[in-house]
Amino acid sequence: EIQQSFEQIKSQFKNEQAYVQARDQAGLTEADVLARAKLQLVQTKIQDDIANSVPPPSTSDAEKFYDANKQQFTQPATRTIRIIQNQDAAQVDQAIQALESDNSAANWKRVASEFSTDPTSKEKGGLRADVVPGSFQQPLDGEIFSAPTGQVEWPVATPTGTFAFEVISATPEQVQGFDDQASSAAGGPPQRISDQITQQIRSQQQQEALAAFGDDFR
């Protein structure tokens, strides 16, 4: 096994000459590299033994973690909106008048370009997608998340200017259930939330066990 570990170290170099050159530049002998290979092997075996000695968390442990960290499994409400922003309330009033009779996407594009000063949406017809709570100052933020869809709302004054907006679509807050399927953060197949939590708790416990061993060993 030590020899295999040693060969794995050498395989990181394109050929024997490159390995020897790097070894000599590091001031190491062949025996030094073998000793490092052995040390790495022993360390890996110890880590594996300690990690495997940690029992899987119970379902009760996973449920307690879920209840204490439910926000972690909550997708916030989102809105897609069109918005006009301007420090001059009179400019917003003109925009509102233009939109009252025609709130089509084409007219929003013309009105936003003429009256809005919002750099994010001005040239996009006022469009802002995936807006989440807290994206704007109050009272605008609250108005956006309480307004119906398809209706121009006006005027809303904040310290940064006066606004008019329209909610195009609304997605409510979604809480993933303990037994719901969710996509894997590592890009693998979907897993149940409960399984993800169990793996997360066990990984933390394994790290704690390794840290405790290291303290005791030192």
Side-chain angles (χ1 to χ4, degrees):
E1 287 178 300
I2 294 170
Q3 187 63 35
Q4 288 176 351
S5 180
F6 173 63
E7 293 299 332
Q8 186 176 16
I9 291 173
K10 293 177 66 175
S11 70
Q12 297 172 20
F13 301 90
K14 62 181 180 181
N15 54 43
E16 180 75 15
Q17 182 180 357
Y19 156 71
V20 171
Q21 183 179 0
R23 182 199 66 193
D24 292 347
Q25 286 178 346
L28 302 174
T29 66
E30 195 83 345
D32 292 331
V33 181
L34 273 168
R36 291 193 175 193
K38 179 178 180 180
L39 179 63
Q40 182 60 51
L41 188 62
V42 171
Q43 179 178 327
T44 299
K45 285 180 174 290
I46 291 173
Q47 289 175 334
D48 289 346
D49 283 348
I50 294 172
N52 292 332
S53 72
V54 176
S58 66
T59 301
S60 177
D61 290 336
E63 289 174 340
K64 288 178 182 177
F65 181 95
Y66 173 80
D67 290 337
N69 298 275
K70 191 164 287 187
Q71 192 61 35
Q72 181 178 328
F73 308 101
T74 301
Q75 301 294 327
T78 61
R79 298 286 186 272
T80 296
I81 65 172
R82 294 188 186 277
I83 196 163
I84 301 291
Q85 173 184 357
N86 203 301
Q87 287 281 0
D88 186 348
Q91 292 286 301
V92 177
D93 286 340
Q94 290 185 54
I96 291 168
Q97 292 174 20
L99 291 168
E100 278 186 308
S101 59
D102 180 7
N103 67 343
S104 66
N107 197 41
W108 261 99
K109 188 173 182 63
R110 180 187 67 79
V111 172
S113 179
E114 182 177 355
F115 295 106
S116 183
T117 59
D118 177 24
T120 304
S121 65
K122 176 179 174 67
E123 301 305 327
K124 301 177 184 176
L127 190 67
R128 292 187 63 163
D130 297 324
V131 174
V132 297
S135 298
F136 296 94
Q137 290 180 305
Q138 294 292 4
L140 178 61
D141 201 73
E143 293 282 352
I144 288 172
F145 283 88
S146 61
T149 60
Q151 181 175 310
V152 179
E153 304 287 335
W154 73 84
V156 183
T158 76
T160 57
T162 301
F163 296 81
F165 70 91
E166 178 183 351
V167 177
I168 305 302
S169 64
T171 302
E173 178 182 273
Q174 296 178 335
V175 180
Q176 295 174 304
F178 184 70
D179 291 315
D180 286 353
Q181 294 277 343
S183 58
S184 171
Q191 287 181 300
R192 291 193 309 169
I193 294 295
S194 56
D195 292 336
Q196 291 184 2
I197 292 173
T198 298
Q199 292 173 6
Q200 184 174 340
I201 294 174
R202 191 172 189 217
S203 176
Q204 181 178 342
Q205 291 175 338
Q206 288 171 333
Q207 291 300 318
E208 291 171 352
L210 285 167
F213 171 83
D215 291 342
D216 182 65
F217 180 80
R218 283 188 291 273

